[in-house]
Amino acid sequence: MLKHLKGKAWATGDDIDTDQIYHGQYLPLTDPQEMAKHAMEFVPSMENFAQEVKPGDIVVAGKNFGCGSSREHAVVCLKENGVSCVVADSFARIFYRNAIDLGFPLLECPGISKMVKTGDEIEVDLVSGDVINFSSGQKLKGHPLSGLELEITEQGGLLNYLKQQ
């Protein structure tokens, strides 16, 4: 069961759209490993993200993360890079839904972008919504996934969940 995720934070700002997370010029790519090489390369100050991110790292964002088009590629490239979850002040609904459908953990946590900077070590409790920043000692409570959303995420996505039903 998903519960505590601990890792290095990669902090970004508000209104990061899917074209910044995974640019449209790469849409012809179908291999997730190739897609992962282009994750976040159009996000200011995160151009080297795909080369430096480590499995278990956590993306921390401001408001409206994942706005723009409905491309699932934005979730796939983060997941393929080993990002354990995204914690944001708020999510665009389409990114939020795609993340659940693809079994990618996320947590909405208003105020998180003011509490965490790149390089901080944080822990996210997906069940309680608690976020601890070990680098600063600060704690914040977010809005955990609903029961069904958490079940779908734990099953690895909507297709796996439906196969189990």
Side-chain angles (χ1 to χ4, degrees), residues 99-122:
I100 302 298
D101 288 349
L102 294 172
F104 184 66
L106 41 73
L107 178 70
E108 195 165 83
C109 187
I112 193 70
S113 65
K114 290 177 178 49
M115 187 181 97
V116 176
K117 64 184 184 314
T118 296
D120 286 353
E121 289 294 322
I122 66 172

Short mmCIF file of all heavy atoms in Angstrom, two decimals, residues 99-122:
data_model
loop_
_atom_site.label_atom_id
_atom_site.label_comp_id
_atom_site.label_asym_id
_atom_site.label_seq_id
_atom_site.Cartn_x
_atom_site.Cartn_y
_atom_site.Cartn_z
N ALA A 99 -3.40 11.45 -13.79
CA ALA A 99 -2.52 10.84 -12.80
C ALA A 99 -3.21 9.66 -12.11
O ALA A 99 -2.62 8.59 -11.97
CB ALA A 99 -2.07 11.89 -11.77
N ILE A 100 -4.45 9.85 -11.70
CA ILE A 100 -5.19 8.75 -11.06
C ILE A 100 -5.33 7.59 -12.04
O ILE A 100 -5.06 6.44 -11.71
CB ILE A 100 -6.59 9.23 -10.59
CG1 ILE A 100 -6.49 10.39 -9.61
CG2 ILE A 100 -7.41 8.05 -10.02
CD1 ILE A 100 -5.78 10.12 -8.33
N ASP A 101 -5.76 7.90 -13.26
CA ASP A 101 -5.98 6.86 -14.27
C ASP A 101 -4.72 6.06 -14.57
O ASP A 101 -4.80 4.88 -14.91
CB ASP A 101 -6.52 7.47 -15.57
CG ASP A 101 -7.95 7.93 -15.44
OD1 ASP A 101 -8.62 7.61 -14.43
OD2 ASP A 101 -8.41 8.64 -16.36
N LEU A 102 -3.55 6.70 -14.43
CA LEU A 102 -2.29 6.03 -14.72
C LEU A 102 -1.59 5.51 -13.47
O LEU A 102 -0.46 5.02 -13.54
CB LEU A 102 -1.36 6.96 -15.51
CG LEU A 102 -1.87 7.31 -16.91
CD1 LEU A 102 -1.00 8.39 -17.54
CD2 LEU A 102 -1.93 6.08 -17.79
N GLY A 103 -2.24 5.64 -12.32
CA GLY A 103 -1.67 5.11 -11.08
C GLY A 103 -0.49 5.91 -10.57
O GLY A 103 0.42 5.36 -9.94
N PHE A 104 -0.50 7.22 -10.78
CA PHE A 104 0.60 8.09 -10.36
C PHE A 104 0.15 8.91 -9.16
O PHE A 104 -0.79 9.70 -9.25
CB PHE A 104 1.01 9.00 -11.52
CG PHE A 104 2.19 9.88 -11.21
CD1 PHE A 104 3.44 9.33 -10.99
CD2 PHE A 104 2.05 11.25 -11.18
CE1 PHE A 104 4.53 10.13 -10.73
CE2 PHE A 104 3.12 12.07 -10.91
CZ PHE A 104 4.38 11.50 -10.69
N PRO A 105 0.80 8.75 -8.01
CA PRO A 105 0.38 9.44 -6.79
C PRO A 105 0.54 10.96 -6.85
O PRO A 105 1.51 11.47 -7.41
CB PRO A 105 1.31 8.87 -5.72
CG PRO A 105 1.86 7.62 -6.29
CD PRO A 105 1.91 7.84 -7.77
N LEU A 106 -0.44 11.63 -6.27
CA LEU A 106 -0.36 13.08 -6.12
C LEU A 106 -1.10 13.50 -4.87
O LEU A 106 -1.89 12.76 -4.31
CB LEU A 106 -0.87 13.81 -7.36
CG LEU A 106 -2.10 13.32 -8.10
CD1 LEU A 106 -3.37 13.61 -7.35
CD2 LEU A 106 -2.15 13.97 -9.46
N LEU A 107 -0.78 14.73 -4.44
CA LEU A 107 -1.40 15.27 -3.25
C LEU A 107 -1.60 16.77 -3.44
O LEU A 107 -0.65 17.48 -3.77
CB LEU A 107 -0.52 15.04 -2.01
CG LEU A 107 -1.05 15.61 -0.70
CD1 LEU A 107 -2.27 14.83 -0.22
CD2 LEU A 107 0.04 15.60 0.37
N GLU A 108 -2.83 17.20 -3.25
CA GLU A 108 -3.11 18.64 -3.27
C GLU A 108 -2.87 19.17 -1.87
O GLU A 108 -3.43 18.66 -0.90
CB GLU A 108 -4.55 18.87 -3.72
CG GLU A 108 -4.81 20.30 -4.10
CD GLU A 108 -6.10 20.45 -4.86
OE1 GLU A 108 -7.16 20.53 -4.19
OE2 GLU A 108 -6.06 20.46 -6.10
N CYS A 109 -2.00 20.18 -1.78
CA CYS A 109 -1.58 20.69 -0.47
C CYS A 109 -1.37 22.19 -0.56
O CYS A 109 -0.26 22.67 -0.84
CB CYS A 109 -0.30 19.97 -0.05
SG CYS A 109 0.22 20.33 1.63
N PRO A 110 -2.45 22.98 -0.36
CA PRO A 110 -2.32 24.43 -0.44
C PRO A 110 -1.22 24.95 0.50
O PRO A 110 -1.14 24.55 1.66
CB PRO A 110 -3.70 24.93 0.00
CG PRO A 110 -4.63 23.80 -0.33
CD PRO A 110 -3.82 22.55 -0.07
N GLY A 111 -0.36 25.80 -0.05
CA GLY A 111 0.74 26.36 0.73
C GLY A 111 2.06 25.64 0.56
O GLY A 111 3.10 26.13 1.01
N ILE A 112 2.06 24.48 -0.08
CA ILE A 112 3.28 23.68 -0.19
C ILE A 112 4.38 24.41 -0.95
O ILE A 112 5.56 24.29 -0.63
CB ILE A 112 3.00 22.29 -0.82
CG1 ILE A 112 4.20 21.36 -0.63
CG2 ILE A 112 2.62 22.38 -2.28
CD1 ILE A 112 4.43 20.93 0.79
N SER A 113 4.01 25.20 -1.97
CA SER A 113 5.03 25.87 -2.78
C SER A 113 5.80 26.94 -2.00
O SER A 113 6.90 27.31 -2.37
CB SER A 113 4.41 26.49 -4.03
OG SER A 113 3.50 27.51 -3.70
N LYS A 114 5.22 27.41 -0.91
CA LYS A 114 5.91 28.40 -0.06
C LYS A 114 6.76 27.71 1.01
O LYS A 114 7.60 28.35 1.64
CB LYS A 114 4.88 29.33 0.58
CG LYS A 114 4.22 30.26 -0.41
CD LYS A 114 3.16 31.11 0.26
CE LYS A 114 2.50 32.08 -0.68
NZ LYS A 114 2.03 31.57 -1.93
N MET A 115 6.54 26.43 1.22
CA MET A 115 7.22 25.70 2.29
C MET A 115 8.42 24.87 1.81
O MET A 115 9.27 24.49 2.60
CB MET A 115 6.22 24.76 2.98
CG MET A 115 6.76 24.07 4.21
SD MET A 115 5.56 22.94 4.96
CE MET A 115 6.07 21.38 4.29
N VAL A 116 8.49 24.61 0.51
CA VAL A 116 9.50 23.69 0.00
C VAL A 116 10.28 24.34 -1.15
O VAL A 116 9.69 24.99 -2.01
CB VAL A 116 8.84 22.38 -0.50
CG1 VAL A 116 9.87 21.45 -1.12
CG2 VAL A 116 8.11 21.68 0.64
N LYS A 117 11.60 24.13 -1.14
CA LYS A 117 12.42 24.58 -2.26
C LYS A 117 13.20 23.37 -2.82
O LYS A 117 13.32 22.34 -2.15
CB LYS A 117 13.35 25.70 -1.84
CG LYS A 117 14.39 25.33 -0.82
CD LYS A 117 15.20 26.56 -0.41
CE LYS A 117 16.32 26.26 0.55
NZ LYS A 117 16.06 25.42 1.67
N THR A 118 13.68 23.51 -4.03
CA THR A 118 14.44 22.43 -4.66
C THR A 118 15.60 22.01 -3.76
O THR A 118 16.32 22.85 -3.23
CB THR A 118 14.96 22.87 -6.04
OG1 THR A 118 13.84 23.12 -6.88
CG2 THR A 118 15.84 21.80 -6.67
N GLY A 119 15.73 20.71 -3.59
CA GLY A 119 16.80 20.15 -2.77
C GLY A 119 16.37 19.77 -1.37
O GLY A 119 17.05 18.99 -0.70
N ASP A 120 15.24 20.30 -0.91
CA ASP A 120 14.75 19.92 0.42
C ASP A 120 14.39 18.44 0.44
O ASP A 120 13.93 17.88 -0.55
CB ASP A 120 13.49 20.73 0.79
CG ASP A 120 13.79 22.18 1.16
OD1 ASP A 120 14.97 22.55 1.27
OD2 ASP A 120 12.81 22.94 1.32
N GLU A 121 14.59 17.81 1.59
CA GLU A 121 14.17 16.43 1.79
C GLU A 121 12.78 16.46 2.42
O GLU A 121 12.60 17.06 3.48
CB GLU A 121 15.14 15.68 2.70
CG GLU A 121 16.48 15.39 2.05
CD GLU A 121 16.40 14.42 0.88
OE1 GLU A 121 15.61 13.46 0.93
OE2 GLU A 121 17.12 14.65 -0.11
N ILE A 122 11.82 15.84 1.75
CA ILE A 122 10.44 15.86 2.26
C ILE A 122 9.87 14.45 2.32
O ILE A 122 10.36 13.53 1.68
CB ILE A 122 9.52 16.78 1.41
CG1 ILE A 122 9.34 16.25 0.00
CG2 ILE A 122 10.07 18.19 1.39
CD1 ILE A 122 8.28 17.01 -0.80
#
